[in-house]
Amino acid sequence: MSLLLYGHPFSSYTQKVLIALYENATPFQFRMLGPDTPQNAAEWLRRWPLRKFPLLVDGERGVVETSIIIEYLQQAHGGPVCLLPDDPAAALDVRFLDRFFDLHVMTPVQHAVGGALSGDDGKRREALATAVERLELAYAWLEEQLAGRHWACGDAFTLADCAAAPALFYADWTHRIPDTLPVLGGYRARLLARPSFARAVEEARPYRTLFPLGAPDRD
Ligand SMILES: N[C@@H](CCC(=O)N[C@@H](CS)C(=O)NCC(=O)O)C(=O)O
């Protein structure tokens, strides 16, 4: 039976898993979570009542949390692109940067998005200001960390890059990466050019009006 992925093309965390699937050309069926497919939402919530997506289903097994999903894919459906190195010390670096992009880049973006979705102008401004403050710290740290690296952890594309791509994509829309941080800007551009992520970005393009802070006319 084929793998099933429940998610939405515009969702950053869905994209994180899509990148991993596309990297290894892993066959799967996409189960859209949207107003036209309530049966998919019902199945997703039956399996994961904590209401977070994406959800991967492999036969009887449901797998959640994107970092775990990607590790699971490598263990159970591995392909030529090794997203988590065999060497334990190298794998720890990858896991750390995966956490960094989720917790210090994507989480502030989600905070700003949540503020905008509240419909309250004060909350919107406050959430955006908090996000900007956190993103500036993360951007400055990444500018140093990524110096001399092609991908997040070096020459190989890994789980950390799967996390980084959608996180930096939407972070830049929330608070633009300034020209004074060329290492980070260059890394984001390389991620956008990576075919797996470029495909996810194209598939999400029709949904850009959903971005509550207003999608810029770029990318
Ligand atoms: N830590 C989770 C985060 C997943 C997450 O926040 N997904 C968003 C969509 S991009 C979501 O479920 N949002 C719905 C909600 O928070 O109610 C993961 O890595 O899977």
Side-chain angles (χ1 to χ4, degrees), residues 94-111:
V94 169
R95 288 195 181 96
F96 166 60
L97 275 172
D98 168 69
R99 295 296 72 233
F100 185 91
F101 284 111
D102 279 10
L103 297 173
H104 300 296
V105 181
M106 201 55 226
T107 299
V109 171
Q110 284 184 313
H111 184 68

Side-chain angles (χ1 to χ4, degrees), residues 11-13 51-54 65-66 102 110:
S11 127
S12 58
Y13 284 104
R51 311 184 80 88
K52 294 285 181 190
F53 55 90
E65 284 297 323
T66 52
D102 279 10
Q110 284 184 313

Side-chain angles (χ1 to χ4, degrees), residues 68-98:
I68 305 300
I69 294 174
I70 293 173
E71 284 209 41
Y72 175 79
L73 286 170
Q74 175 148 319
Q75 284 178 19
H77 301 272
V81 180
C82 176
L83 294 168
L84 200 73
D86 292 335
D87 174 61
L92 201 61
D93 287 344
V94 169
R95 288 195 181 96
F96 166 60
L97 275 172
D98 168 69

